Amino acid sequence: MHRSAPRLSRILACAAVPVMLVAVGCSSDSGDEKDTASSASPTATEPTVEPAKFSELPDACTSIGKKTIESLVPKAKTKGGTPGTSSDTVTRGSCSWNGLDDNGVKGSQYRWLDVGFTRFTSDQALGSGAERATAEYTKQVAKAKASEGAKKVADAPAEGIGEQATAVTYDLEKTGEDFKYATVVARTGNVVVTLTYNGAGYAGAKTPSGADILKDAKKAAGEAVGAVGEGGSGDTGTSASPSAKAPDKSDDKSDDKS
């Protein structure tokens, strides 16, 4: 028995439905895979700065050995040194010594020694502690070279002291006498060490040798830098905001001729 044409069309249409559903299903699966692949792609992360090497500073007044102090500053007024003032000793510290070695009719020898430490933490916005210390190191070298009234200014690398160091020497006339100066600026990790040593002869005494002043300054600076490594090290992390507030400028209260 033959079926009519309209009825046959309806049967063929129903038979095609499962095929269409399968096609739709495949299309839907393909889209899910694309979405999954897209969501699994890694997202960019902000780079972090290198943690600071040192988390604290040594006691400035004990950073240089007693024998060295006795040799460089004979008859020091305060053998233990006079600490500078700072509202943030974790970030900055300093100490100074001065003394006049009176030799009667042979005249007198005056010496003054000062050592200062500045520490920088790593900061996401400002950079790593080492980078910030390097900028301060450059600044302190320039400052030493621009000392008011200085004559015969010279600078040279100070080998073997910290990661980088520069020695600046110059002559300066004060209180009617000729002073010989040597400033050694050094950086170790995230800490900058600035040491200044000077001397003069009074009452007819011979002016000290500039080479001797420089040699002694380098010796003391080497000890001060070494003291940094003996303190605490390793920041636990980086700061999301500027590190410790700007330290006050250290003031030396001692009665000196520097």
Side-chain angles (χ1 to χ4, degrees):
M1 181 178 181
H2 296 284
R3 296 174 179 174
S4 63
R7 184 178 180 187
L8 179 61
S9 297
R10 287 198 299 273
I11 293 173
L12 291 175
C14 291
V17 171
V19 176
M20 294 175 62
L21 291 176
V22 171
V24 172
C26 292
S27 175
S28 177
D29 289 344
S30 176
D32 290 344
E33 290 177 358
K34 290 181 180 180
D35 291 343
T36 303
S38 176
S39 63
S41 61
T43 56
T45 57
E46 185 178 0
T48 58
V49 296
E50 178 185 8
K53 184 176 182 180
F54 301 107
S55 59
E56 62 183 36
L57 293 175
D59 180 347
C61 290
T62 61
S63 64
I64 301 173
K66 292 182 179 180
K67 290 184 177 180
T68 300
I69 296 298
E70 291 174 358
S71 174
L72 271 59
V73 191
K75 305 295 178 64
K77 289 182 181 180
T78 307
K79 292 183 178 180
T82 302
T85 57
S86 174
S87 61
D88 187 359
T89 56
V90 175
T91 300
R92 173 178 289 241
S94 65
C95 192
S96 65
W97 299 259
N98 71 91
L100 185 67
D101 187 7
D102 190 349
N103 296 303
V105 296
K106 294 183 179 180
S108 303
Q109 289 291 332
Y110 175 79
R111 297 290 186 274
W112 184 79
L113 174 67
D114 176 89
V115 62
F117 298 85
T118 306
R119 187 184 71 86
F120 296 87
T121 58
S122 292
D123 184 278
Q124 192 66 35
L126 302 178
S128 70
E131 291 172 338
R132 299 175 67 195
T134 298
E136 176 67 13
Y137 164 82
T138 302
K139 177 181 176 180
Q140 289 301 319
V141 170
K143 181 179 178 180
K145 293 169 63 177
S147 297
E148 184 177 358
K151 301 177 180 179
K152 299 180 180 179
V153 179
D155 67 281
E159 303 294 341
I161 302 177
E163 294 178 41
Q164 57 183 149
T166 298
V168 180
T169 58
Y170 55 91
D171 295 346
L172 191 63
E173 184 179 342
K174 297 189 301 180
T175 63
E177 304 295 342
D178 294 324
F179 278 72
K180 294 291 184 179
Y181 270 78
T183 294
V184 178
V185 182
R187 180 185 69 82
T188 176
N190 57 311
V191 176
V192 175
V193 179
T194 303
L195 182 140
T196 298
Y197 182 52
N198 67 65
Y202 278 85
K206 185 179 180 180
T207 300
S209 163
D212 288 341
I213 291 293
L214 176 58
K215 178 182 177 181
D216 289 342
K218 287 182 177 180
K219 174 179 173 58
E223 293 184 15
V225 170
V228 175
E230 295 174 359
S233 62
D235 277 2
T236 56
T238 57
S239 172
S241 59
S243 62
K245 61 182 178 181
D248 295 344
K249 181 178 180 181
S250 297
D251 298 316
D252 179 20
K253 302 295 184 179
S254 60
D255 179 19
D256 58 64
K257 299 182 178 62
S258 63

